[in-house]
Amino acid sequence: MKNLIVTSKWETPYRKSNKNGLNLKVSLEMENNKVETVKMKRTPVHIIYLIDSSGSMQQSVNGFHNGILFNHYAKNMNRCFGDFENNGFSNQSKLDKVKSAVVASIDLLSPEDRFTVLSFDNITQCIIENSYATPENKSIARGKISQIMASGGTGLFEGYTQSLSYFEGNSSHKRRLFVLTDGETTDRVEFSKYYEIAEKISKEIKNTISVSTFGVGENFNEDFLLSLALKGDGNFYYLSEDISITEIFQKEVEDTIKDSFRNVQLKISGREFNNLELLNNFSKNKNECYDLPNIVQGKTVNFVLTGDAIGKKSAIMITVSCYDKENNSFVYSETINVDISSDFYKNSDVSDEVLKLKIAKISKESSVQSKMRNKQNAQNYIFEAMSLMNSITDEKMKATIASELERTKNSLDNNNFETASKTLLRSSYSSMYSRD
């Protein structure tokens, strides 16, 4: 089995009341053993594509807002810009774009892999069921997927629950579900029940299936899609005209077929520390550990701790484990000890990461105020975030955050509260759940 590489950077940027302020950035990545990769045959995958074919999907992709890729947390969220497909067909409908992306991602699969395609509006229909990804089946899939038409409402919850039944119970394949929708679900489900539903489904499938969700445009329900991805141990993507849907689907499929550490948990214990806080918005589980994103080969998961160090020397123990929820046991564990001195020490890389996450938390508060149409409160949070932003040394990071905050400020100035709220919320998610 491949090893997990755990590295850390820290700083003690201030001293107050006989305590040293501590910022600690930890990075996790999978060891890249090229010899092992060549010798080992990868586990085949079975991907189910659940496609929203409701009436709104026939609208053009023009007019979308900025694009954010939330790649897990749920589980990672990165920024990605470019021409939307860059193929000269900007007047294509959202459904046309999605169908092209699904076909392109199926082409990446090997003959031993399987795929299923479902569409949903008011009802759920099976377009292609449990087919091996042979050249012949891929050709058949192109024809059938091209015939999916847009009409009706958005029966997302029904489509989601039905899709799980198409996975074989004892399959030796890695099982992935891709859910793509552009709207609020029209199922009669109370908003407050979304996370509860996702939790229930997670227990039923015993985390043997990873779920990634894709929100298209502006009107989808972030909370529901994020909850599904969080509880489904997958990724959440926000797609718009700045993003190539085909490129994102292809990246997701490529990550799916790579080796990865799943069900990753983080435990933190400190000696001579007060007020230790994890700035990333990772949730705690029943084992009092934080649930982290999947660690995919070639990508890095980062998180940041802050707190107060007491005494001349302090130490933090960081344990990262992979937990088998079905068998209730740990299958891998790695522990590192980080010794912290009392000397003043500044690290700009760590400082910038801390500032980015603090701005993300402030942005989330501003999003709440925007949604409540509390203009003055929302603007005050924006000004606070801008003040912190000025201390960032990474010019690229600063420019990205400045662009988001300025765009949000303009939306608030024009009383576009819904646009401001969504921009802030998605920006906040992208920072808190980053994976490089």
Side-chain angles (χ1 to χ4, degrees):
M1 183 176 183
K2 294 180 182 292
N3 292 322
L4 191 63
I5 301 173
V6 186
T7 57
S8 64
K9 298 178 182 179
W10 58 271
E11 65 171 3
T12 49
Y14 65 86
R15 184 169 178 81
K16 181 175 64 176
S17 301
N18 297 322
K19 297 177 183 177
N20 294 313
L22 170 68
N23 296 324
L24 173 67
K25 177 182 177 181
V26 180
S27 300
L28 310 173
E29 60 183 323
M30 180 182 288
E31 182 181 39
N32 185 14
N33 188 324
K34 294 182 179 179
V35 176
E36 182 181 344
T37 302
V38 171
K39 289 182 178 180
M40 289 183 62
K41 184 178 180 180
R42 73 166 175 84
T43 303
V45 299
H46 180 192
I47 300 177
I48 292 182
Y49 300 88
L50 180 62
I51 301 172
D52 183 349
S53 58
S54 61
S56 58
M57 288 291 285
Q58 67 186 345
Q59 296 173 1
S60 169
V61 296
N62 289 334
F64 288 0
H65 190 50
N66 65 306
I68 300 176
L69 161 62
F70 300 160
N71 199 324
H72 183 32
Y73 272 74
K75 273 187 175 180
N76 166 29
M77 304 180 176
N78 292 325
R79 172 80 49 185
C80 181
F81 294 100
D83 294 333
F84 197 84
E85 304 299 355
N86 197 24
N87 58 13
F89 295 97
S90 60
N91 62 338
Q92 283 188 313
S93 72
K94 289 180 277 187
L95 183 56
D96 288 334
K97 291 288 185 182
V98 168
K99 291 191 293 186
S100 297
V102 170
V103 168
S105 66
I106 288 174
D107 281 340
L108 295 175
L109 300 178
S110 300
E112 65 270 17
D113 298 320
R114 298 181 182 184
F115 64 94
T116 296
V117 180
L118 307 173
S119 68
F120 69 94
D121 41 61
N122 293 326
I123 61 173
T124 303
Q125 300 183 63
C126 181
I127 310 300
I128 304 154
E129 182 176 355
N130 199 13
S131 296
Y132 280 101
T134 61
E136 181 183 3
N137 287 339
K138 289 179 180 179
S139 178
I140 293 172
R142 291 188 195 96
K144 289 188 175 182
I145 291 172
S146 69
Q147 296 172 17
I148 300 175
M149 305 298 290
S151 65
T154 309
L156 174 56
F157 179 64
E158 179 186 349
Y160 179 79
T161 52
Q162 285 195 27
S163 66
L164 298 178
S165 66
Y166 285 88
F167 285 113
E168 290 187 355
N170 296 316
S171 173
S172 59
H173 289 53
K174 287 199 290 188
R175 301 185 289 180
R176 296 297 308 274
L177 173 62
F178 293 172
V179 180
L180 194 143
T181 180
D182 76 331
E184 299 271 354
T185 176
T186 55
D187 296 297
R188 295 183 177 180
V189 179
E190 293 181 16
F191 179 81
S192 61
K193 296 290 186 181
Y194 287 147
Y195 198 81
E196 180 182 325
I197 290 167
E199 179 80 31
K200 180 175 182 292
I201 292 174
S202 171
K203 291 179 180 178
E204 288 176 353
I205 64 178
K206 294 183 179 179
N207 289 83
T208 60
I209 300 170
S210 291
V211 181
S212 289
T213 56
F214 303 76
V216 182
E218 290 300 312
N219 297 319
F220 60 87
N221 189 321
E222 293 94 341
D223 296 277
F224 189 32
L225 294 186
L226 182 63
S227 294
L228 292 182
L230 279 169
K231 291 301 176 182
D233 199 34
N235 303 317
F236 171 39
Y237 297 84
Y238 161 41
L239 308 175
S240 75
E241 73 170 335
D242 293 328
I243 294 290
S244 165
I245 293 181
T246 298
E247 179 184 346
I248 297 308
F249 264 73
Q250 288 177 330
K251 286 181 178 179
E252 181 70 0
V253 171
E254 289 169 356
D255 282 354
T256 294
I257 63 181
K258 288 179 181 177
D259 291 329
S260 64
F261 284 98
R262 292 190 55 199
N263 300 324
V264 183
Q265 297 188 5
L266 166 69
K267 186 175 182 179
I268 305 164
S269 55
R271 177 170 55 84
E272 303 294 334
F273 281 96
N274 281 340
N275 306 317
L276 273 181
E277 178 187 4
L278 184 67
L279 290 185
N280 306 73
N281 200 24
F282 300 149
S283 60
K284 269 191 174 183
N285 56 39
K286 63 181 181 180
N287 298 319
E288 288 300 308
C289 296
Y290 292 99
D291 289 321
L292 298 186
N294 291 340
I295 302 173
V296 178
Q297 188 170 11
K299 294 189 176 180
T300 303
V301 172
N302 300 311
F303 61 87
V304 174
L305 288 164
T306 65
D308 296 322
I310 305 170
K312 293 184 177 181
K313 288 191 177 181
S314 308
I316 290 181
M317 181 182 293
I318 299 169
T319 302
V320 182
S321 306
C322 298
Y323 191 67
D324 183 344
K325 296 185 178 181
E326 190 169 7
N327 296 312
N328 196 31
S329 61
F330 289 99
V331 294
Y332 181 87
S333 184
E334 186 80 22
T335 299
I336 66 166
N337 289 293
V338 183
D339 294 321
I340 311 295
S341 73
S342 61
D343 298 329
F344 174 83
Y345 176 64
K346 189 78 171 175
N347 186 312
S348 60
D349 180 41
V350 178
S351 297
D352 286 349
E353 195 73 19
V354 170
L355 289 168
K356 182 183 75 171
L357 290 171
K358 287 183 176 179
I359 290 170
K361 288 180 179 291
I362 294 170
S363 296
K364 192 172 182 181
E365 292 297 328
S366 184
S367 173
V368 172
Q369 295 301 316
S370 298
K371 196 168 187 178
M372 296 170 61
R373 305 179 75 85
N374 292 333
K375 183 174 181 177
Q376 188 60 57
N377 290 346
Q379 287 177 326
N380 288 340
Y381 280 118
I382 294 297
F383 294 143
E384 182 182 353
M386 286 180 167
S387 177
L388 287 178
M389 177 199 69
N390 290 329
S391 298
I392 293 176
T393 60
D394 186 313
E395 293 300 325
K396 184 178 180 180
M397 180 189 295
K398 182 187 289 188
T400 299
I401 294 173
S403 174
E404 294 165 352
L405 294 177
E406 187 62 34
R407 184 169 56 246
T408 303
K409 180 179 176 298
N410 291 337
S411 296
L412 288 172
D413 289 343
N414 294 312
N415 296 323
N416 294 327
F417 296 103
E418 187 67 21
T419 299
S421 177
K422 285 182 176 290
T423 301
L424 287 163
L425 184 61
R426 293 165 185 173
S427 174
S428 175
Y429 285 155
S430 69
S431 295
M432 288 182 178
Y433 301 121
S434 66
R435 185 173 64 192
D436 298 331

